[in-house]
């Protein structure tokens, strides 16, 4: 099959339907993946070079997800070339619909249709270590085991059988040495100095 980038698909759809029809804000539904671990498939383990551990990748480690089409708040991609510069300088309303004049306002009863969407976003909960690692404005919520377990339960509806072959294909396309270089340190958690974060967030 012909390999295509995201930009290739956007251009094809824009040429087919016109930029005016697509608009500058492309909505993408999300699919939540939980924390139920599975063993990587045998073919993936065999294909991976010795220095690459398939368990380092959340896409191979966590393959159970929630029901499709019920995760209300999606993500967006914005073609800034279609938007006046002055409108890009205003504060975003929220991360899910950053430009209210171009992106539909997302509320609990509205979500891009999962089955028909051009793009979809896989949203991985990951391990509790990874979940609590990120220091952002929601840091207090991220320290809650109960909240983590609640989110984890939402991602145990069914198991993905489509996205587990990417590693062997990536190694085949890139070559073993290039793959090892590009995937080096995947899954690791460097211990960073959070002093800057404290300055930014108080």
């Amino acid at each position: 099959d012909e390999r295509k980038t995201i930009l290739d698909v956007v251009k094809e759809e824009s040429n087919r339907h016109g930029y005016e029809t697509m608009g500058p804000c492309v909505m993408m539904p999300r699919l939540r993946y939980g924390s139920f671990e599975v063993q990587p498939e045998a073919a993936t383990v065999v294909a991976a070079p010795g220095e690459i551990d398939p368990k380092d990748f959340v896409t191979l480690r966590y393959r159970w997800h929630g029901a499709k089409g019920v995760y209300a708040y999606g993500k967006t991609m914005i073609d800034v070339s279609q938007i006046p510069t002055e409108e890009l300088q205003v504060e975003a309303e929220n991360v899910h619909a950053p430009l209210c004049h171009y992106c539909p306002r997302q509320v609990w009863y509205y979500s891009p249709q999962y089955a028909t969407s051009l793009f979809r976003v896989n949203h991985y909960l990951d391990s509790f270590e990874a979940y609590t690692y990120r220091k952002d404005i929601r840091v207090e919520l991220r320290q809650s085991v109960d909240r983590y377990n609640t989110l984890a339960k939402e991602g145990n509806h069914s198991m993905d059988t489509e996205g587990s072959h990417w590693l062997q294909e990536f190694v085949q396309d890139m070559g073993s040495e290039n793959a090892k270089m590009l995937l080096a340190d995947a899954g690791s958690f460097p211990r960073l100095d959070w002093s800057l974060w404290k300055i930014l967030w108080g």
Side-chain angles (χ1 to χ4, degrees):
D1 295 341
E2 181 185 358
R3 301 293 175 90
K4 296 180 180 179
T5 65
I6 291 176
L7 184 58
D8 291 333
V9 176
V10 170
K11 286 182 176 179
E12 286 182 3
E13 292 300 313
S14 297
N15 290 335
R16 182 178 296 118
H17 302 292
Y19 271 114
E20 297 77 10
T21 301
M22 280 193 67
C25 185
V26 178
M27 310 291 287
M28 301 179 293
R30 285 191 288 174
L31 180 62
R32 185 189 293 281
Y33 281 71
S35 60
F36 184 80
E37 294 190 50
V38 298
Q39 293 298 317
E41 295 179 350
T44 299
V45 176
V46 172
E51 290 82 353
I52 298 177
D53 186 351
K55 292 182 181 179
D56 286 337
F57 304 96
V58 295
T59 52
L60 302 177
R61 185 177 173 186
Y62 305 105
R63 292 170 53 196
W64 281 81
H65 57 74
K68 297 178 178 179
V70 300
Y71 197 179
Y73 296 100
K75 295 292 187 181
T76 58
M77 287 191 299
I78 297 176
D79 181 356
V80 296
S81 69
Q82 299 187 56
I83 298 175
T85 303
E86 59 271 16
E87 295 195 36
L88 297 173
Q89 297 173 346
V90 300
E91 183 175 350
E93 181 177 346
N94 64 68
V95 68
H96 303 288
L99 295 174
C100 58
H101 294 300
Y102 299 95
C103 302
R105 183 177 178 84
Q106 297 194 49
V107 290
W108 70 268
Y109 53 80
Y110 172 80
S111 176
Q113 293 297 314
Y114 186 89
T116 58
S117 179
L118 282 175
F119 303 103
R120 303 162 185 167
V121 177
N122 290 345
H123 191 103
Y124 288 88
L125 183 63
D126 209 334
S127 66
F128 187 69
E129 178 190 12
Y131 179 74
T132 56
Y133 174 77
R134 198 167 75 188
K135 308 296 182 182
D136 60 17
I137 197 170
R138 296 173 294 180
V139 62
E140 292 185 4
L141 285 175
R142 292 185 183 280
Q143 303 305 314
S144 170
V145 175
D146 290 339
R147 176 175 170 78
Y148 176 82
N149 290 335
T150 297
L151 295 175
K153 290 178 182 178
E154 295 177 2
N156 290 338
H157 181 270
S158 55
M159 191 172 79
D160 172 33
T161 59
E162 300 174 352
S164 61
H165 307 295
W166 73 264
L167 181 55
Q168 55 261 50
E169 294 179 5
F170 183 81
V171 173
Q172 181 179 347
D173 289 347
M174 295 292 103
S176 179
E177 293 304 314
N178 285 334
K180 287 189 288 186
M181 177 187 68
L182 293 168
L183 299 176
D185 298 323
S188 63
F189 293 92
R191 297 304 165 189
L192 304 177
D193 180 2
W194 295 110
S195 58
L196 177 60
W197 173 84
K198 293 178 180 177
I199 294 173
L200 292 173
W201 295 105

